Amino acid sequence: MRKATAKRKKKPLVTLAVGSLVAAGLTVQAYTAGASEPVAGCNAADDAIYTPPAVAPGTPGQVVSCRPTKLPHVPGNIPMNAWKVQYSSTNNDGGPVAVSGTVAVPKAEWRGPGPRPIVAFNPGTLGLGPQCAFSKQLAGEYQDAYEGDNISAALKAGYAVAATDGAGYLIGQTHPYVSGQDAGHALLDIARAAPAVPGGGLDGKAPVGLWGYSEGGAASLWAAQLATSYAPDVNVVADASGGVPGDLKVVAEALNGGPFAGFLTDSLVGLAAAHPQMPFDEIMNDTGKEAIKKAKSLCLVGTIANFAGHKVENYSTDQLSLDQMYALKGSDGTTWGEVVDRQKLGTGIGPRGSGAKYAIGFPVMQYRGLFDEVIPTETEDGTRQAYCSARVPTRWKTYPGEHLTSDNQAVNDVVAWLGDRFAGKAEYGTADLSGTVPGRCHLSLR
């Protein structure tokens, strides 16, 4: 699974990460964006957005609090109104939880058919630290996020954007990193919440496109799988998911001890936060406890730099391997291996009317970089294959980049593809499991 490393002088990982941002053409400097206009009934203090309510509302998608904001890290000087929001969602156990995010609406009049579409966006990995929340980064309060161009492209096309931070960025919480149901619920619920923002002018029946890459790609694909059962009231018409870590066991094996081992550390911490019944803190040695504490304080670049080369075997008192950790049981008798397997994408899926556990009634676009060095391409390809085999209408595309640059390379294609779905254009075609119809598989959506 691991690639042999060439014998050459290595650059510091922070330099590599920042260099990748520049190479990808991703903008990290501040821009002057259209200011938001104050809206009556949407004037919460900034701290209120990130303070958990005493009791989270039990209605998913309910707006708890909101405030106008500026988005200096969305390039293009796009006239818009934008708000930070706190809204209600559901955790993986079915309990109510509050989540933070951003809603942005172009000031330009929508001239397309029907109501203005909404792009429900989940960012890629940003880190577990509270300062890493995407809504804070878009607002210029911290910066090592890399997807301002994605938000800009959707807004320029005239679409509203509802970008979730994901659960766990409120004060005193931990982001349940790579927990599929937590992520899917949070993304669907910000699509529910966006039309309820006072002054946003959005329609609750507007067509919704799901979009995410890397961690965000897993989240958006989970949202696609959960949409029919969890959010039948949300008019989801398409999903675009790239760089998808579809099988976490495959990803963990590749990350352990490698340059991107920080993502594995975050995964351990995130899944433990989502599953408190599982053994975790009590099996950690001093090194593991320090790693957990540090991971909860860092964002993307710091996570990569501080955990490069780390192995999970060094975190536990008994020096447990991944396989040995998977065998451990929680208080409910569930093993860690079963918890990780539950996050696997592409299982139990089928088209609408198939009777599948996860019935998907709209087309999906999946994509990856040809030289992805973070997520093993075998699991990205495997997720796509699972969708094709299940006869879920799936568009597939690869890009000539590594993990980070491919996110940016796909932006225009994704926005155009979502635009066709918003316009009601059918995604159609025939099976290409043998490769006879490049870029398509089982595109028989009716």
Side-chain angles (χ1 to χ4, degrees):
M1 290 297 301
R2 299 186 194 123
K3 298 179 181 178
T5 53
K7 294 182 178 180
R8 55 192 172 114
K9 187 176 180 179
K10 296 181 179 178
K11 296 181 180 179
L13 282 166
V14 172
T15 301
L16 288 173
V18 175
S20 293
L21 292 172
V22 175
L26 306 181
T27 47
V28 295
Q29 69 270 30
Y31 291 81
T32 302
S36 294
E37 297 172 351
V39 177
C42 200
N43 54 4
D46 193 71
D47 285 349
I49 301 298
Y50 304 102
T51 300
V55 178
T59 303
Q62 180 178 332
V63 175
V64 178
S65 59
C66 56
R67 62 175 281 109
T69 189
K70 296 181 180 180
L71 305 182
H73 288 292
V74 174
N77 196 28
I78 304 164
M80 71 176 88
N81 288 315
W83 301 265
K84 287 185 176 183
V85 298
Q86 184 187 113
Y87 63 97
S88 58
S89 189
T90 308
N91 65 21
N92 69 93
D93 284 330
V97 64
V99 181
S100 53
T102 304
V103 173
V105 182
K107 289 185 178 180
E109 181 182 355
W110 171 248
R111 298 185 180 277
R116 187 190 300 272
I118 300 170
V119 174
F121 185 83
N122 200 110
T125 297
L126 295 176
L128 301 183
Q131 75 277 15
C132 312
F134 196 46
S135 60
K136 293 181 179 180
Q137 298 213 39
L138 290 176
E141 297 160 36
Y142 184 89
Q143 184 58 27
D144 71 0
Y146 48 90
E147 292 180 304
D149 292 329
N150 304 51
I151 306 301
S152 176
L155 292 171
K156 285 179 180 177
Y159 312 139
V161 173
T164 183
D165 291 342
Y169 283 106
L170 304 189
I171 295 169
Q173 298 180 350
T174 299
H175 177 48
Y177 185 67
V178 302
S179 177
Q181 296 220 4
D182 286 280
H185 293 159
L187 187 56
L188 290 165
D189 284 329
I190 199 168
R192 280 174 161 146
V197 173
L202 300 177
D203 191 321
K205 299 299 183 183
V208 173
L210 309 170
W211 186 12
Y213 185 85
S214 194
E215 178 195 356
S220 59
L221 208 54
W222 264 109
Q225 294 187 175
L226 293 167
T228 298
S229 58
Y230 178 73
D233 54 305
V234 179
N235 183 22
V236 180
V237 299
D239 165 65
S241 299
V244 178
D247 186 332
L248 294 185
K249 285 184 176 178
V250 173
V251 178
E253 181 65 26
L255 293 177
N256 195 27
F260 300 101
F263 300 148
L264 176 55
T265 303
D266 280 0
S267 298
L268 297 174
V269 175
L271 286 176
H275 301 276
Q277 80 279 12
M278 300 303 297
F280 188 62
D281 288 340
E282 63 269 33
I283 67 172
M284 292 291 132
N285 58 24
D286 289 343
T287 299
K289 291 175 182 177
E290 181 61 27
I292 294 169
K293 180 180 178 181
K294 185 176 290 185
K296 289 182 178 181
S297 73
L298 296 171
C299 294
L300 174 63
V301 174
T303 298
I304 296 172
N306 280 273
F307 292 100
H310 280 219
K311 302 186 74 171
V312 297
E313 289 84 348
N314 296 326
Y315 287 168
S316 62
T317 302
D318 295 329
Q319 295 186 312
L320 300 174
S321 67
L322 283 167
D323 285 340
Q324 289 172 323
M325 288 188 69
Y326 294 150
L328 297 179
K329 292 184 178 181
S331 58
D332 61 355
T334 302
T335 67
W336 263 122
E338 289 170 327
V339 169
V340 176
D341 283 339
R342 289 173 187 169
Q343 317 312 315
K344 186 175 181 179
L345 285 154
T347 62
I349 60 172
R352 179 179 292 150
S354 65
K357 179 179 181 180
Y358 302 120
I360 303 173
F362 44 84
V364 168
M365 177 181 179
Q366 294 184 41
Y367 54 99
R368 69 166 173 83
L370 290 170
F371 308 106
D372 196 324
E373 80 290 25
V374 179
I375 308 300
T377 56
E378 67 180 86
T379 188
E380 295 172 300
D381 293 348
T383 302
R384 175 261 184 156
Q385 180 73 29
Y387 268 67
C388 290
S389 297
R391 302 193 68 81
V392 176
T394 304
R395 177 67 59 111
W396 172 254
K397 188 163 185 178
T398 56
Y399 292 88
E402 38 67 64
H403 188 70
L404 185 60
T405 55
S406 295
D407 184 2
N408 188 252
Q409 289 170 355
V411 166
N412 290 336
D413 287 341
V414 169
V415 172
W417 186 81
L418 290 175
D420 284 344
R421 309 290 78 76
F422 292 148
K425 295 181 181 179
E427 179 73 292
Y428 61 92
T430 56
D432 81 325
L433 297 184
S434 62
T436 55
V437 183
R440 296 181 175 180
C441 63
H442 295 306
L443 301 181
S444 56
L445 188 68
R446 292 180 175 85

